[in-house]
Amino acid sequence: MSRQRLTILGATGSIGVNTLDVVARHPGRFEVLALSAQNRVERLAEQCARFQPRFAVVGSDEAAAELENLLRRSGTDTAVLAGADALERIASLPEADTVMAAIVGAAGLRPTLAAARAGKKILLANKEALVMAGSVFMQEIQRNSAVLLPIDSEHNAICQSLPVNFSNDLGRSGVRRILLTASGGPFRQASPQDLERVTPDQACAHPNWVMGRKISVDSATMMNKGLEVIEAHWLFNAPPERIEVVIHPQSVVHSMVEYADGSVIAQLGNPDMRTPIAYALAYPERIDAGVAPLDLCRIGGLSFEPPDFGRFPCLRLAYEALGQGGNAPAVLNAANEIAVEAFLNGQLGFTRIPEVIERTLACVGWSEADTLEAVLAADAAAREAGRRFAAVPGQAA
Ligand code: NAD
Ligand code: MG
């Protein structure tokens, strides 16, 4: 069996590191062809020394010089490249079989699209790319016979719970609803007054998952679940009314599919991203992921409750943006990235995140977004408006 050759975009992040952990358990199956990181050069240098990729891409010429230095010292002959074009290049290398798309945010869109155009097997962690450019992205996947496997634990669970021969038509497959589980984040039971005072470190301390800071804040505002509703729409061709969010604080049931006959099929497991990563890497086979067995007797109980759209307006805003379609999800995503960044930098209160997004959505006019240019224009307009709203305390710009 020839080894599966992998490019990992965002190798130094939480998903990237977990991917390399699974890969290292199966040296006979996988070969690392290329890695990328924005600026964590030391970690990337260690990864290169260990996995000996042919290419490594970083965000700037300075980072590239630093990486070259470190690699020379360890005698690693990985070729170092820098910049956005280089990311597209390693995402579409003719030798690559599989691309793990694990860059955070809109920066992941172009390289992930490049992988789609090159007809790769894409392991999609970068949900923002699909949220902002769902229509463009899914067209490129189909046109180039690329294979798309979701890494987001919920969507991966849905994949595992849908019929094996799912035809992209929920009705024809006898599916009534997709039940997307959500932990509720660290502030599930916080009062509105507590929410006012939330700090970045509190928001990033997720009760069940260890993740990058941006997605951790998204989980705390529940925008993460909103983005996942939009992600599910594109992945499974599901209208919003067929996607229901269920709060499940234990994060053991990763999502469910409800069928017309009343059956509900769920995927369960410990909250460890190596499970969906291993599933997608080895699909349709199953391999060891290093994940501890699920001990249901120790967990004792699984509970479920409806989401509170009043306390978590981001979830409502995401459903509304999906309903509006066109450029609205791209505007929602860009405004969220700006607001989260301002919050993490101490420039914006936690409860103002949805306010900045709502104002941005009202400010940037609706339009179609079925070309990459239209998506990027919506993204740019929303970033500009979002920055203005985030800078002005509590009033319209
Ligand atoms: P992270 O912040 O830990 O890592 C992000 C990676 O992207 C890093 O390697 C970083 O160097 C790179 N990066 C950041 N900005 C970049 C830019 N402008 N250009 C190029 N590269 C850049 O994030 P993460 O938690 O690993 O999440 C990655 C993606 O996976 C996100 O889209 C997130 O929503 C999704 N995801 C993560 C988890 C999780 O458990 N961490 C679960 C589901 C989905
Ligand atoms: Mg998720």
Side-chain angles (χ1 to χ4, degrees), residues 10-16 36-40 87 101-105 107 125-128 151-153 209-213 215 224 273:
T12 52
S14 158
I15 293 291
S36 91
Q38 185 64 359
N39 44 28
R40 273 197 185 144
L87 281 179
I103 289 174
V104 61
N126 179 219
K127 67 190 89 187
E128 294 92 342
I151 294 300
D152 218 343
S153 56
W209 299 95
V210 180
M211 309 181 285
R213 283 172 84 75
I215 184 178
N224 183 48
M273 289 308 292

Side-chain angles (χ1 to χ4, degrees), residues 30-207:
F30 306 111
E31 178 186 338
V32 178
L33 196 61
L35 297 173
S36 91
Q38 185 64 359
N39 44 28
R40 273 197 185 144
V41 174
E42 284 185 11
R43 185 176 279 187
L44 184 62
E46 284 165 21
Q47 294 175 336
C48 290
R50 180 155 182 214
F51 293 95
Q52 299 286 322
R54 227 177 297 161
F55 301 98
V57 174
V58 286
S60 65
D61 291 339
E62 298 77 66
E66 208 183 315
L67 181 63
E68 294 261 21
N69 243 332
L70 292 169
L71 293 183
R72 210 169 309 133
R73 253 185 261 161
S74 67
T76 308
D77 63 0
T78 299
V80 177
L81 308 168
D85 290 349
L87 281 179
E88 291 190 44
R89 180 165 164 214
I90 60 165
S92 53
L93 289 170
E95 311 90 302
D97 302 301
T98 301
V99 176
M100 165 58 84
I103 289 174
V104 61
L109 175 61
R110 280 177 182 276
T112 311
L113 263 182
R117 290 192 179 122
K120 302 299 182 195
K121 172 175 154 188
I122 300 173
L123 314 189
L124 185 75
N126 179 219
K127 67 190 89 187
E128 294 92 342
L130 198 52
V131 167
M132 64 192 289
S135 147
V136 176
F137 190 74
M138 295 311 286
Q139 266 176 39
E140 292 292 356
I141 292 282
Q142 273 143 23
R143 195 177 295 156
N144 300 288
S145 307
V147 173
L148 187 57
L149 290 165
I151 294 300
D152 218 343
S153 56
E154 295 76 2
H155 306 75
N156 193 274
I158 293 161
C159 264
Q160 297 196 43
S161 305
L162 281 168
V164 178
N165 55 356
F166 178 57
S167 60
N168 218 26
D169 184 329
L170 292 179
R172 226 181 319 140
S173 301
V175 173
R176 200 148 55 192
R177 284 184 310 165
I178 284 171
L179 305 173
L180 205 59
T181 52
S183 69
F187 310 129
R188 185 171 56 91
Q189 291 168 316
S191 68
Q193 297 87 303
D194 291 341
L195 288 180
E196 299 277 344
R197 290 189 294 268
V198 162
T199 65
D201 282 346
Q202 287 170 333
C204 288
H206 195 278

